[in-house]
Amino acid sequence: MAPLRLVVVDDHEMVLHGLMAMLEYFPQDVELVGRAASVADALAIIASSEPDVVLSDVRIGRESGLDLVASVVRDHPATKVVMLTVYEDEHFMFQALRAGAVGYLLKRVDGHELVRHLKDVAAGDVVIDPALAGRVAMSAAQAGSTDYWPGAHVGLTQRESQVLALLVQDLSNKGIAAKLVVSEETVKTHVRGIYRKLGVPDRAGAVAVALREGMFQ
């Protein structure tokens, strides 16, 4: 079989070079046909090369890899997108899968594992990093039960509900990050999701909705 045609998208030059060096050991399996450090450049390369798989970070500089996923799914349905990221967070993973990604892997994956996952994706499978598999099972079990978290009725994820509860307690983004043991950038992403789902422009609006709805007693 011909090697999979791959485009890699990451805003860190070191990561791009590392992936290129890693994949050089598997020329019979993967052919790197392009690399990009921005969503615009990635879309241009994808349009010209029509790769089998795109490997993208969740965050690309100040841009979202999820926007890239949505564009590829809409304009290049034959191309599969796999996220490769440091964000070990099941909520980011769920967002990526909802956007149309068919894989979510962590950057500690080794070359053999990465190539195997890429081949699985090309064969029609969805691949999830083993480190997140247990959390996925727990989330699925919770989603199928009647024990919902505050804000589930308006579309908040469990993690977004936790963040909103801490916003109500007037914690800063830095304080929330420390409390939940995640990065401040992760908190900012959850906060933006909360604003969007509650239809509010800022923190005060989100807190007002939470109190009005009696989400946290």
Side-chain angles (χ1 to χ4, degrees):
M1 294 180 61
L4 295 175
R5 304 177 73 254
L6 178 70
V7 167
V8 176
V9 186
D10 198 292
D11 62 311
H12 292 98
E13 194 71 18
M14 183 180 297
V15 173
L16 290 173
H17 282 298
L19 285 170
M20 291 170 61
M22 181 186 294
L23 294 172
E24 283 179 355
Y25 290 96
F26 307 92
Q28 72 281 8
D29 297 306
V30 179
E31 177 189 0
L32 186 63
V33 297
R35 66 179 209 178
S38 71
V39 171
D41 287 347
L43 290 174
I45 292 170
I46 293 165
S48 63
S49 62
E50 292 292 340
D52 299 304
V53 182
V54 173
L55 195 61
S56 173
D57 201 346
V58 171
R59 299 296 304 175
I60 308 168
R62 294 182 177 274
E63 301 176 287
S64 171
L66 302 185
D67 293 335
L68 174 63
V69 174
S71 295
V72 173
V73 169
R74 182 186 65 242
D75 299 329
H76 307 279
T79 297
K80 311 274 181 73
V81 184
V82 174
M83 313 310 291
L84 181 67
T85 182
V86 297
Y87 292 114
E88 190 172 342
D89 188 310
E90 67 270 27
H91 301 294
F92 277 136
M93 184 202 67
F94 284 133
Q95 289 176 349
L97 296 179
R98 290 189 191 108
V102 294
Y104 194 96
L105 303 174
L106 299 178
K107 284 184 176 177
R108 58 185 177 224
V109 66
D110 66 32
H112 290 281
E113 291 173 325
L114 179 58
V115 169
R116 175 169 53 83
H117 288 313
L118 292 176
K119 293 170 76 172
D120 288 343
V121 162
D125 292 337
V126 174
V127 297
I128 304 298
D129 195 283
L132 289 168
R135 300 183 201 175
V136 174
M138 286 300 297
S139 296
Q142 290 171 341
S145 74
T146 57
D147 186 20
Y148 292 105
W149 50 84
H153 66 291
V154 294
L156 298 185
T157 66
Q158 191 171 19
R159 181 53 62 88
E160 287 170 343
S161 177
Q162 293 169 344
V163 170
L164 180 55
L166 296 173
L167 288 178
V168 170
Q169 295 176 33
D170 201 28
L171 268 69
S172 66
N173 287 347
K174 184 176 181 179
I176 294 172
K179 190 82 171 179
L180 298 180
V181 196
V182 297
S183 71
E184 195 168 346
E185 184 62 33
T186 296
V187 172
K188 291 178 182 178
T189 298
H190 289 315
V191 169
R192 287 194 293 268
I194 291 168
Y195 292 170
R196 184 179 70 255
K197 292 176 181 180
L198 297 185
V200 297
D202 53 27
R203 175 181 292 242
V207 171
V209 171
L211 295 176
R212 185 178 69 239
E213 295 289 329
M215 292 183 188
F216 307 102
Q217 301 298 335

